[in-house]
Amino acid sequence: MRSCEVMIVGGGPAGSSAAWKLRRAGADVLVLDRERFPRLKLCAGWITPEVVRDLDMDVGAYPHRLLTFPRLRMHFGRLQVPIACVQHSIRRVEWDAWLLERSGAPVIEHNVRHIERVSDGYVLDGAFRCRYLIGAGGTRCPVYRELFRELNPRSSELQIVTLEHEIRYDWEDGDCHLWFFDHGLPGYSWYVPKERGWLNVGIGGIAARMKRGGHDIREHWARLAAMLDAGLTPGAEYDPSGYSYYLRGEVAVVRRDNAFITGDAAGLASRDLGEGIGPAIRSGLRAAQSILEGTPYRLEDVTGLSIGSIARSMLGRVARAGRYGPRRPPASEGGPAHGLRHRD
Ligand SMILES: Cc1cc2nc3c(=O)[nH]c(=O)nc-3n(C[C@H](O)[C@H](O)[C@H](O)COP(=O)(O)OP(=O)(O)OC[C@H]3O[C@@H](n4cnc5c(N)ncnc54)[C@H](O)[C@@H]3O)c2cc1C
């Protein structure tokens, strides 16, 4: 049986951030993931300046695709609202593998099925033993399923369904576009360019409201694809896939004995924009901190609404422009305010 002090189930942003913090403090950590990295993760790959700061990430040294947006273009019907703020995009297939490797934690490919509570910790599938257990396995996390589901039932009113596709495409418009409530969609669709000829487009909406309103996400998709074909992405061909996750509701219990749940396993995506990467990372870091310092595991500073982060980024830009005139954002916001970071 393989033993370690802290076992992390899932090597996505929540698990790799927890592993990174624990390893930096010298803890004995092991990550189990059912997939071999680099692995595909359906996600638009939009990240905020907070994510860059939380990960202590030097975007200039990041070895894969990263694009910085000087603004978000939000569409409400015919109204288009450009929001001047600094945000970024990455490709999850690259970024997740990079984060996991950077954590320095050993990773074993293993699909966790069964978790047993024993006197001094946990035994997973009769093969792995640990004192502390971090559930970072996303929506279908076995730690949530086996230890937390009864205490934290998920609300179907908070379930998001999505369709998305990331394609090679030589886009011309390098801004991120979001279309809200188009044709009654209880959610939004997106166009998120990635550095060097990649593009992610998708749709997300609250499943229960879509069902009640008689919406078919594939019809919304067809409308989005037609709009993009006539405008931003002529000639692009899409073959979308779906995935589901949960917006943040009441998360009553996030720690049970020495077991923790983080990220999508806990259902922490922001209520307004379904931002899940930032909350996954912050919660992973907080779980690690709790183990290292023996302090309570709390989610108070884990983003519940993304609009606050966007507003802070906007205000930061306005304040800097007022003080110094047009300029580049500080390194902590990671990258140029305008234009793209291209690497040959
Ligand atoms: C279409 C779509 C677009 C999105 N766009 C954005 C966006 O642009 N920005 C944003 O912030 N958020 C976005 N999100 C949400 C974001 O992708 C998630 O919130 C985020 O990935 C959560 O990270 P995590 O580490 O908790 O889980 P995950 O990233 O899902 O990682 C979980 C890991 O656990 C592993 N695992 C699962 N089960 C097991 C098991 N039984 N045994 C071992 N390993 C297991 C999986 O293989 C996976 O590697 C989007 C989501 C979707 C579906």
Side-chain angles (χ1 to χ4, degrees):
M1 178 148 354
R2 173 89 180 251
S3 295
C4 68
E5 190 70 359
V6 188
M7 189 89 66
I8 301 175
V9 177
S16 62
S17 313
W20 176 63
K21 189 168 177 75
L22 288 159
R23 278 299 307 136
R24 287 210 301 182
D28 171 26
V29 186
L30 178 64
V31 178
L32 302 178
D33 199 293
R34 67 181 174 193
E35 294 204 42
R36 184 188 296 265
F37 283 62
R39 58 95 174 89
L40 184 72
K41 167 71 181 88
L42 292 186
C43 180
W46 150 58
I47 59 170
T48 64
E50 270 92 347
V51 164
V52 169
R53 275 196 290 273
D54 277 357
L55 292 174
D56 211 358
M57 194 178 156
D58 174 359
V59 295
Y62 177 63
H64 304 291
R65 290 173 186 81
L66 184 145
L67 187 62
T68 297
F69 304 119
R71 66 188 76 81
L72 296 177
R73 291 194 182 275
M74 298 199 176
H75 302 255
F76 302 89
R78 287 167 185 272
L79 181 69
Q80 190 193 133
V81 186
I83 310 269
C85 61
V86 176
Q87 306 287 316
H88 314 278
S89 73
I90 44 80
R91 294 196 68 219
R92 288 290 300 268
V93 65
E94 299 168 348
W95 194 63
D96 285 23
W98 178 79
L99 283 179
L100 190 55
E101 192 179 342
R102 185 183 79 145
S103 77
V107 182
I108 293 181
E109 197 182 330
H110 178 86
N111 185 3
V112 176
R113 290 194 168 84
H114 182 62
I115 297 164
E116 189 189 344
R117 179 81 173 103
V118 292
S119 59
D120 57 344
Y122 303 87
V123 171
L124 281 62
D125 296 332
F128 301 95
R129 189 183 196 102
C130 59
R131 182 158 165 232
Y132 293 97
L133 178 64
I134 297 182
T139 306
R140 296 186 189 92
C141 181
V143 179
Y144 171 77
R145 187 183 66 230
E146 303 255 312
L147 302 178
F148 288 90
R149 185 160 58 187
E150 283 173 21
L151 304 170
N152 284 340
R154 290 170 177 162
S155 161
S156 60
E157 291 297 321
L158 297 174
Q159 185 181 16
I160 296 289
V161 283
T162 63
L163 271 184
E164 70 122 68
H165 196 190
E166 189 153 301
I167 56 168
R168 274 192 179 280
Y169 190 79
D170 254 335
W171 44 261
E172 288 186 2
D173 185 331
D175 284 348
C176 173
H177 290 258
L178 307 174
W179 293 269
F180 290 88
F181 318 126
D182 193 33
H183 287 81
L185 177 77
Y188 67 94
S189 1
W190 64 83
Y191 161 100
V192 180
K194 309 294 171 87
E195 193 187 359
R196 273 182 291 147
W198 282 86
L199 173 69
N200 188 294
V201 299
I203 294 183
I206 296 193
R209 278 202 234 159
M210 287 177 73
K211 199 170 168 196
R212 279 199 296 273
H215 294 275
D216 178 344
I217 195 166
R218 296 220 162 244
E219 281 172 18
H220 281 284
W221 178 274
R223 229 177 265 122
L224 173 68
M227 177 184 74
L228 291 172
D229 192 53
L232 287 168
T233 68
E237 288 186 12
Y238 301 105
D239 181 16
S241 305
Y243 190 75
S244 147
Y245 65 116
Y246 287 81
L247 301 182
R248 183 151 178 189
E250 193 200 346
V251 191
V253 183
V254 286
R255 176 176 185 169
R256 189 177 178 189
D257 301 323
N258 281 343
F260 302 72
I261 39 168
T262 59
D264 276 5
L268 298 182
S270 69
R271 289 292 281 264
D272 47 359
L273 292 182
E275 175 201 350
I277 298 174
I281 287 167
R282 188 69 69 83
S283 59
L285 294 174
R286 292 290 168 265
Q289 183 179 11
S290 170
I291 292 170
L292 291 169
E293 296 174 5
T295 48
Y297 171 45
R298 296 219 175 93
L299 301 179
E300 278 114 3
D301 70 342
V302 174
T303 313
L305 290 172
S306 302
I307 203 69
S309 152
I310 291 173
R312 277 192 295 282
S313 177
M314 280 170 71
L315 289 171
R317 289 199 60 183
V318 170
R320 283 192 299 277
R323 260 181 289 154
Y324 310 116
R327 51 158 288 186
R328 293 153 70 99
S332 63
E333 290 206 343
H338 294 279
L340 320 169
R341 188 176 72 99
H342 281 287
R343 186 174 277 124
D344 293 321

